[in-house]
């Protein structure tokens, strides 16, 4: 079995869905966490792109959360039933990345990292982008007919996207009320028996280190 080390800050962020995937698969990994101060002093210069998350696999450093998710999706049998569905997963997550880029200014302000009036940006940036994008994600779930995004069942896209929608619900109190289909998918992922122990013991993943 490969030796895995996951490098990220000591909170949820872009690495949480990766941690959950490891626990779902029952595959051991070293969860290397650090504060923002420790990152700049001890870790940033060691990372391939100067960013995290990074997954080290038998000494080889793999950066980028999507690349890591895609890699582990294949390893953990969470990458679709065939090559076509694998490509469809990649296409949906590429679309998600476009959506994330569209809402970046609001998202950064809402998290406290960026500048600007978050309420104004919500109206001017998030709402128009969400009106276009969220029905696409909801349509995937509806058409799959099983509570997940794809007909074959659970894929790494469910881990990746459900974690983000949970963040949206934290930032936008009525988000899941307006998008019950996304909530149902998120609840289904959170109910997976393989991850219950981790979810109960992981602590506050929203507290900045």
């Amino acid at each position: 079995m490969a030796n895995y080390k996951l490098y990220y800050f000591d909170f949820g962020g872009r690495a949480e869905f990766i941690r959950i995937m490891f626990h779902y698969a029952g595959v051991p990994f070293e969860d290397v966490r650090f504060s923002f101060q420790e990152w700049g002093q001890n870790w940033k210069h060691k990372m391939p792109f100067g960013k995290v998350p990074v997954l080290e696999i038998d000494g080889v450093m793999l950066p980028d959360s999507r690349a890591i998710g895609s890699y582990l999706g294949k390893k953990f049998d969470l990458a679709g039933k065939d090559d076509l569905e694998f490509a469809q997963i990649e296409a949906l997550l590429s679309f998600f990345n476009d959506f994330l880029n569209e809402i970046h200014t609001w998202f950064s302000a809402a998290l406290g990292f960026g500048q600007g009036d978050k309420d104004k940006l919500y109206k001017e940036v998030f709402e128009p982008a969400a009106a276009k994008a969220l029905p696409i994600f909801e349509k995937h779930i509806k058409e799959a007919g099983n509570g997940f995004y794809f007909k074959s069942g659970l894929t790494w896209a469910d881990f990746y996207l459900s974690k983000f929608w949970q963040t949206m619900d934290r930032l936008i109190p009525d988000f899941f009320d307006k998008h019950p289909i996304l909530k149902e998918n998120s609840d289904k992922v959170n109910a997976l028996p393989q991850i219950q122990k981790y979810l109960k013991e992981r602590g506050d993943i929203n507290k900045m280190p």
Side-chain angles (χ1 to χ4, degrees), residues 16 190 192-193 195-204:
E16 190 61 17
N190 279 348
L192 292 167
I195 65 173
Q196 293 311 300
K197 185 174 185 293
Y198 173 69
L199 294 182
K200 290 175 183 176
E201 296 176 355
R202 68 181 175 178
D204 186 359

Side-chain angles (χ1 to χ4, degrees), residues 42-77:
N42 303 325
W43 295 102
K44 186 174 183 178
H45 67 281
K46 298 179 181 180
M47 301 299 148
F49 298 159
K51 298 178 180 180
V52 282
V54 168
L55 181 64
E56 183 178 348
I57 309 146
D58 291 336
V60 178
M61 306 291 265
L62 176 64
D64 185 75
S65 59
R66 263 194 64 189
I68 295 168
S70 183
Y71 172 84
L72 293 178
K74 285 189 172 184
K75 289 292 184 182
F76 299 162
D77 196 24

Side-chain angles (χ1 to χ4, degrees), residues 96 99-130 134 164-175:
F96 171 78
F99 167 65
L100 196 58
N101 286 337
E102 280 195 64
I103 67 168
H104 175 72
T105 52
W106 167 78
F107 191 43
S108 295
L111 289 173
F113 294 130
Q115 297 182 341
D117 184 331
K118 66 179 182 180
D119 295 327
K120 183 179 180 183
L121 289 169
Y122 176 80
K123 291 288 185 183
E124 296 179 357
V125 175
F126 177 80
E127 284 192 334
L134 297 192
F164 183 78
W165 305 136
Q166 291 164 36
T167 300
M168 290 297 95
D169 191 58
R170 180 171 62 87
L171 298 175
I172 306 168
D174 61 350
F175 180 82

Side-chain angles (χ1 to χ4, degrees), residues 3 5 11 13 21 37-38 40 42 47 64 67 112 125 151 184 205:
N3 181 42
K5 290 183 182 181
F11 73 111
M21 285 180 69
Q37 182 178 359
E38 291 168 335
N42 303 325
M47 301 299 148
D64 185 75
V125 175
K151 291 182 179 180
E184 287 171 14
I205 63 168

Side-chain angles (χ1 to χ4, degrees), residues 84-99:
L84 177 57
E85 199 169 71
F86 172 80
Q88 290 174 322
I89 293 169
E90 292 296 314
L92 182 64
L93 294 179
S94 180
F95 176 75
F96 171 78
N97 194 60
D98 292 340
F99 167 65

Side-chain angles (χ1 to χ4, degrees), residues 19-51:
R19 296 177 183 131
I20 291 173
M21 285 180 69
F22 272 111
H23 286 279
Y24 171 80
V27 173
F29 72 107
E30 185 176 346
D31 193 0
V32 181
R33 305 187 184 209
F34 33 77
S35 67
F36 290 139
Q37 182 178 359
E38 291 168 335
W39 160 247
Q41 292 176 346
N42 303 325
W43 295 102
K44 186 174 183 178
H45 67 281
K46 298 179 181 180
M47 301 299 148
F49 298 159
K51 298 178 180 180

Side-chain angles (χ1 to χ4, degrees), residues 4-17:
Y4 295 108
K5 290 183 182 181
L6 178 64
Y7 299 91
Y8 196 66
F9 302 109
D10 189 15
F11 73 111
R14 293 177 179 267
E16 190 61 17
F17 86 95

